[in-house]
């Protein structure tokens, strides 16, 4: 569905400017002044700030810690994120001690599948070091994991 957000203030990393924003689905088609409506649903956003989506790079959703589970799962946590303007979360995939990184990632993918309402990715948590974990890090990178958190205590 096409939307034309008219008369807002677009905020970027470089500047803020009065502009219209034309979108189609999840894509921004144009940003500029006096964009043509071209059959789009027009929303007047006069007096509003239009930000790009934010990324929360440190979330713990549906995480079991010391016999309790974090308050938000992937559904409630990503709904709350969107309400605050965050369009992507990066959650910590956390295998239990003795589990492989691949097993931990698979578990986190299951927890998130079909429940997220925004984009998501994962950091991989490492709480035990071995040659196998060292080898698995390369495999995790092949699956799109680019960051790791290792507990040293």
């Amino acid at each position: 569905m096409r939307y034309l957000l008219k008369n807002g203030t677009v905020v970027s990393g470089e500047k803020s400017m009065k502009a219209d924003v034309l979108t189609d689905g999840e894509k921004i088609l144009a940003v500029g002044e006096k964009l043509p409506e071209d059959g789009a649903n027009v929303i007047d956003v006069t007096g509003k700030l239009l930000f790009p989506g934010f990324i929360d790079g440190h979330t713990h959703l549906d995480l079991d810690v010391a016999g309790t589970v974090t308050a938000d799962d992937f559904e409630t946590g990503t709904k709350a994120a969107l309400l605050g303007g965050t369009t992507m979360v990066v959650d910590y995939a956390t295998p239990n001690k003795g589990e492989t990184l691949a097993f931990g990632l698979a578990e986190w993918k299951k927890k998130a599948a079909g429940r997220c309402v925004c984009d998501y990715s994962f950091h991989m948590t490492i709480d035990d070091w071995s040659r196998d974990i060292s080898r698995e890090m390369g495999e995790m990178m092949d699956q799109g994991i680019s960051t790791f958190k290792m507990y040293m205590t």
Side-chain angles (χ1 to χ4, degrees):
M1 182 161 276
R2 292 170 70 98
Y3 289 97
L4 178 61
L5 308 176
K6 292 195 69 73
N7 307 313
T9 300
V10 174
V11 180
S12 74
E14 297 173 359
K15 63 182 176 180
S16 296
M17 64 182 195
K18 293 281 187 192
D20 299 338
V21 178
L22 178 63
T23 66
D24 189 358
E26 294 185 8
K27 294 185 186 225
I28 296 173
L29 300 178
V31 177
E33 295 180 27
K34 298 179 182 164
L35 295 178
E37 294 182 13
D38 291 336
N41 294 311
V42 178
I43 301 172
D44 183 9
V45 293
T46 300
K48 306 291 187 215
L49 300 175
L50 301 175
F51 290 93
F54 293 103
I55 298 171
D56 185 342
H58 187 131
T59 64
H60 297 283
L61 301 173
D62 201 7
L63 175 64
D64 183 2
V65 178
T68 189
V69 179
T70 54
D72 283 307
D73 59 20
F74 282 90
E75 182 178 359
T76 61
T78 57
K79 282 181 179 178
L82 279 179
L83 286 172
T86 297
T87 58
M88 180 174 185
V89 298
V90 185
D91 199 65
Y92 282 87
T94 308
N96 293 312
K97 202 169 198 81
E99 294 174 345
T100 65
L101 299 182
F103 180 83
L105 181 59
E107 288 298 301
W108 250 254
K109 285 181 176 181
K110 277 194 254 178
K111 290 180 180 194
R115 302 186 75 208
C116 289
V117 296
C118 70
D119 293 330
Y120 64 94
S121 185
F122 300 106
H123 297 292
M124 181 54 61
T125 300
I126 300 170
D127 68 355
D128 199 16
W129 189 252
S130 69
R131 289 183 200 268
D132 289 337
I133 295 294
S134 177
R135 176 188 47 75
E136 269 197 287
M137 287 179 75
E139 295 169 9
M140 292 295 99
M141 288 187 272
D142 291 342
Q143 292 191 48
I145 303 298
S146 60
T147 59
F148 298 85
K149 177 180 181 177
M150 183 168 181
Y151 292 100
M152 302 294 285
T153 57

